[in-house]
């Protein structure tokens, strides 16, 4: 009997983009189980709550061709290495978009290897059409009324549009109260 290959793909996913989905789908070809770890990261000031991000990631994963891989979505607020160990992972999946990502990811992989040399870090280069997509840019473009439909799924686009409409409504109310 062969050993099951379990991987963890961590991120904030605020929101999940087509680039993230590309990495998830490609990782699913190499693993038996992939745990998508949604980091709570309150310090980053996410646009969406952890529960909202979990819901979005689960919706997106449900629509993917999983290549026979079991994909689970879980929140975490621990050290990544602890999360990987809790999930019996032997590999951490990291996506690279550009050379600028490499230095940070290389340092993190080195630290993780020191914490637990039994868990490997696997880097997947973003597909050419997804190399420039970042959640930060998607939020900025969407907030300013730009078209983000090529960067996120229709479901995520709808979540973003609703959030930006709510934020605009709250902002208008605050202006009215100040007057």
């Amino acid at each position: 009997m062969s050993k099951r290959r379990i991987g963890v793909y961590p991120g904030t996913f605020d929101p999940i983009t087509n680039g993230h989905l590309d990495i998830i789908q490609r990782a699913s070809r190499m693993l038996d189980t992939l745990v998508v770890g949604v980091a709570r990261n309150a310090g980053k000031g996410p646009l969406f709550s952890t529960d909202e991000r979990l819901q979005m990631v689960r919706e997106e994963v449900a629509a993917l061709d999983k290549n026979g891989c079991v994909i689970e979505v879980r929140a975490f607020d621990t050290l990544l290495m602890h999360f990987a160990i809790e999930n019996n992972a032997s590999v951490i999946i990291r996506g690279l978009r550009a050379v600028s990502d490499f230095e940070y990811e290389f340092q993190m992989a080195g630290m993780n290897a020191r914490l637990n040399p039994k868990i490997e870090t696997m880097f997947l280069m973003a597909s050419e059409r997804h190399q420039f997509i970042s959640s930060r840019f998607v939020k900025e473009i969407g907030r300013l009324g730009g078209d983000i439909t090529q960067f996120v799924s229709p479901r995520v686009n709808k979540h973003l549009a609703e959030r930006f409409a709510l934020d605009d409504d709250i902002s208008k109310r605050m202006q009215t109260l100040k007057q």
Side-chain angles (χ1 to χ4, degrees):
M1 183 165 85
S2 66
K3 183 178 174 185
R4 293 191 45 79
R5 293 167 306 196
I6 301 172
V8 168
Y9 177 42
T12 306
F13 305 106
D14 186 43
I16 188 167
T17 68
N18 291 341
H20 293 127
L21 294 171
D22 177 58
I23 297 294
I24 291 168
Q25 190 153 45
R26 290 171 49 218
S28 75
R29 293 184 206 135
M30 297 176 272
L31 300 167
D32 299 306
T33 301
L34 176 63
V35 179
V36 179
V38 178
R40 294 192 190 280
N41 271 354
K44 276 191 166 182
L47 179 64
F48 294 100
S49 71
T50 302
D51 288 340
E52 290 169 320
R53 289 181 284 131
L54 283 166
Q55 176 191 344
M56 279 191 280
V57 174
R58 285 180 179 135
E59 288 172 356
E60 296 308 304
V61 165
L64 286 179
D65 173 3
K66 297 170 195 64
N67 301 297
C69 179
V70 174
I71 302 178
E72 301 169 0
V73 181
R74 299 184 183 145
F76 76 102
D77 59 3
T78 62
L79 192 62
L80 173 58
M81 193 52 67
H82 293 164
F83 183 68
I85 291 167
E86 287 169 17
N87 287 282
N88 298 311
S90 59
V91 64
I92 295 170
I93 303 294
R94 299 297 295 171
L96 295 175
R97 291 176 300 221
V99 174
S100 58
D101 287 345
F102 181 75
E103 185 175 356
Y104 171 78
E105 294 293 345
F106 182 73
Q107 289 175 352
M108 189 180 340
M111 292 299 290
N112 285 335
R114 289 281 180 109
L115 292 171
N116 188 335
K118 293 179 182 174
I119 300 178
E120 293 291 336
T121 298
M122 182 185 310
F123 296 110
L124 292 177
M125 294 300 299
S127 297
E128 185 178 312
R129 68 183 183 276
H130 300 300
Q131 287 179 348
F132 57 90
I133 300 174
S134 76
S135 295
R136 183 172 53 91
F137 288 153
V138 166
K139 288 185 288 194
E140 188 173 330
I141 293 166
R143 183 176 283 122
L144 296 173
D147 180 8
I148 57 173
T149 56
Q150 61 186 317
F151 310 127
V152 296
S153 75
R155 290 172 296 278
V156 172
N157 189 37
K158 182 177 182 230
H159 285 287
L160 284 162
E162 289 169 356
R163 176 55 44 91
F164 295 142
L166 177 64
D167 288 351
D168 286 346
D169 188 45
I170 290 170
S171 182
K172 287 175 187 172
R173 287 187 206 162
M174 294 299 285
Q175 290 299 323
T176 303
L177 290 174
K178 288 180 181 178
Q179 295 174 355

